[in-house]
Amino acid sequence: MTSKQVNLDFFNFSILIHLDDAELARKTCKDFSFFLAENSKEPKFTINVKKDDAFKLPKSLVATAQSQNSITYVENNKKYQDYYGKAWTILEGNSLKLIYRDINCVHEILYLVILSYSGKYMDSKGYHKVHACGFNFERQNIILMMPSKGGKTTIFTDMLSDPKINIISDDTPVISRTGKVYPFPLRLGCEDKNDLLKKFPYIDENEIYEFQRIYFSKKYLLSINSLKNKVFAANGKTKFVLGVRSTREKPKMKKVSKFRFLLFLIPHFIVGVGLPMVIEHFFRLGAKDFFTNSKIFLSRAFTALVVVIRHEGYVLETSSNKALNREVLMELLD
């Protein structure tokens, strides 16, 4: 195997990743192409990814938590995650080891670990993710919030079929405590490769790569570097849209009160339901971490109030007609 080094930077949170698999390194670079950085002499966080068929956990560990994803153990300021014998992570200070036996599960684990630790740092600095997609045209931003499986990805990729539409984020736009919107673009993903080829006919099929998930079906990914759309967020008033499914023949868009605007920010922003985050890695060790997480919650609540004051809220009742859904959003952009 050929070793590879990847440097990423998320709002001044530098991560240095050492990998023993060149293909995994290539996919990681595609996943986070917008955040690739020059070599960092003093990274704030390091990740070492290595295959080890003989690895075994220490015999003295007692589980502190268990989920569908993994079993958590804590001992002597080290935190262990056991992904049921397929892979393990060991956190000590600002360094994490990702040891694996099955390469097929590592891409997903590494992707979520990177988002979890960088996301927690960003939260602590007042840069908060919202579970939504975001796009821009000239001076107008739209942040579209929808429940998981609500059709958000379909609408987002439909919008990007126009190269004039700019990318803010496919899944997690970032909002600062002042209410400013920042881009946070990651790779695009679909469960059907042909969907990507139809919406972006100018791309080469070889640019699409696979993402094998542990508990869900395989996805096909495309780096944002392969798209003609630019990454940009305007510094001004943003329109936040809550998308809900309906049986309407035509979609309906309506502006909502500040109170209702705040209500639909609670699950999608303050709580962050649906954010791509590994809960096991978000919670670290002891009372100090509990205090940090409490501060993050309060910061998110404060930022939500700023967003409601500074921006506008809408509800979009979608129809089954994708073209009409896109048309309504284009009108809002104009």
Side-chain angles (χ1 to χ4, degrees), residues 308-327:
V308 169
I309 293 169
R310 181 174 176 180
H311 303 296
E312 297 176 348
Y314 294 79
V315 167
L316 169 63
E317 297 173 1
T318 63
S319 73
S320 58
N321 189 318
K322 296 180 182 179
L324 290 179
N325 292 335
R326 183 179 182 279
E327 186 178 308

Side-chain angles (χ1 to χ4, degrees), residues 210-275:
E210 295 182 359
F211 184 53
Q212 187 67 53
R213 296 184 290 180
I214 299 174
Y215 296 108
F216 301 97
S217 60
K218 182 192 299 182
K219 291 187 78 172
Y220 294 91
L221 308 180
L222 182 66
S223 171
I224 59 165
N225 283 349
S226 301
L227 302 178
K228 293 181 179 180
N229 311 80
K230 297 179 180 179
V231 175
F232 178 75
N235 185 16
K237 184 170 286 189
T238 296
K239 295 175 179 178
F240 284 72
V241 179
L242 176 65
V244 293
R245 288 185 182 271
S246 78
T247 57
R248 291 179 175 276
E249 293 184 1
K250 294 182 180 180
K252 180 180 179 180
M253 179 82 74
K254 58 183 178 182
K255 192 173 181 179
V256 297
S257 67
K258 294 293 186 180
F259 178 71
R260 190 174 180 193
F261 185 7
L262 179 61
L263 286 181
F264 66 65
L265 283 177
I266 292 173
H268 295 279
F269 181 63
I270 298 177
V271 178
V273 175
L275 286 174

Side-chain angles (χ1 to χ4, degrees), residues 3-66:
S3 62
K4 181 72 176 180
Q5 179 174 298
V6 176
N7 292 273
L8 303 174
D9 191 284
F10 300 89
F11 292 77
N12 294 319
F13 182 72
S14 54
I15 301 179
L16 174 60
I17 310 169
H18 295 284
L19 307 101
D20 66 350
D21 185 88
E23 179 63 13
L24 179 60
R26 184 185 72 86
K27 290 182 176 181
T28 302
C29 288
K30 285 180 173 289
D31 290 343
F32 299 100
S33 59
F34 184 76
F35 301 98
L36 289 173
E38 299 295 329
N39 292 350
S40 176
K41 293 182 180 179
E42 296 182 4
K44 293 183 178 178
F45 197 76
T46 60
I47 302 174
N48 289 280
V49 184
K50 185 178 181 181
K51 182 179 175 64
D52 186 350
D53 290 325
F55 176 80
K56 293 182 179 180
L57 289 169
K59 295 294 184 181
S60 58
L61 301 180
V62 177
T64 57
Q66 186 168 352

